[in-house]
Amino acid sequence: MGAFREIEDLFSEADTGRTAHLLLHREVPPAEVVYKAVNSPFGKMVLGQTTDGLCWSAFVDDESRGTGELVQAFPGTSITNGGGIWIRRAERIVSDPLFSRDSLCLLVKGSQFRLGVWRQLLDTPFGAITSYGRIGGRLGDVNASRVVGAAVG
């Protein structure tokens, strides 16, 4: 998997009809990131991918500013405008989350705690309600709601 390693499968086909894989980014940057600015029901987004999966997602008012942040996030990496399979899948999921059956590989970088928060979010069934405190409790600290909120973004 190149500069990434698989952590675990986070969805099962039986539960959602979709499969998501969470991949932990190593400190070695990818050789290339391809990005595309897309319109979504939530506003304009810049999506980035490597050959291994989706590595960047940001809501932007200004595409050039959004791509500038992408360049800063991946120093020494070739950044090119284009598209690819992971971007197309992400576009379909964002544009029609109730009916899309696409799967994604998400390439993430974060502490073990943040990865735990993201796993909890992905394990929350579609349409279910949870709280930062409940997620913190599942991770072993019911008083961690602010830290969970920071991990959510």
Side-chain angles (χ1 to χ4, degrees):
M1 294 204 146
F4 299 89
R5 63 182 168 86
E6 188 164 354
I7 294 175
E8 66 180 286
D9 291 344
L10 296 170
F11 287 117
S12 71
E13 288 287 334
D15 291 341
T16 64
R18 281 184 251 179
T19 303
H21 301 279
L22 184 64
L23 302 172
L24 178 63
H25 180 279
R26 291 188 188 161
E27 292 304 315
V28 178
E32 180 181 34
V33 172
V34 178
Y35 77 91
K36 181 179 178 187
V38 300
N39 292 314
S40 80
F42 313 105
K44 189 171 222 61
M45 298 177 71
V46 173
L47 299 172
Q49 72 165 56
T50 70
T51 55
D52 293 321
L54 195 70
C55 64
W56 184 263
S57 173
F59 290 101
V60 298
D61 293 324
D62 176 19
E63 182 180 337
S64 63
R65 184 171 158 219
T67 55
E69 291 172 1
L70 173 63
V71 169
Q72 288 178 356
F74 292 93
T77 298
S78 171
I79 309 290
T80 57
N81 192 353
I85 187 168
W86 302 113
I87 289 173
R88 286 192 300 275
R89 288 180 180 186
E91 281 183 278
R92 287 191 298 263
I93 291 169
V94 169
S95 66
D96 198 0
L98 292 176
F99 298 104
S100 175
R101 294 290 179 226
D102 287 293
S103 62
L104 271 182
C105 282
L106 306 174
L107 311 178
V108 298
K109 185 175 181 179
S111 67
Q112 287 299 94
F113 183 82
R114 283 180 178 254
L115 291 172
V117 169
W118 299 334
R119 283 188 198 109
Q120 290 295 317
L121 291 172
L122 289 171
D123 286 342
T124 302
F126 184 81
I129 298 171
T130 192
S131 69
Y132 294 161
R134 191 173 298 143
I135 291 172
R138 286 191 212 125
L139 296 173
D141 187 353
V142 294
N143 297 314
S145 59
R146 287 186 181 193
V147 180
V148 170
V152 171

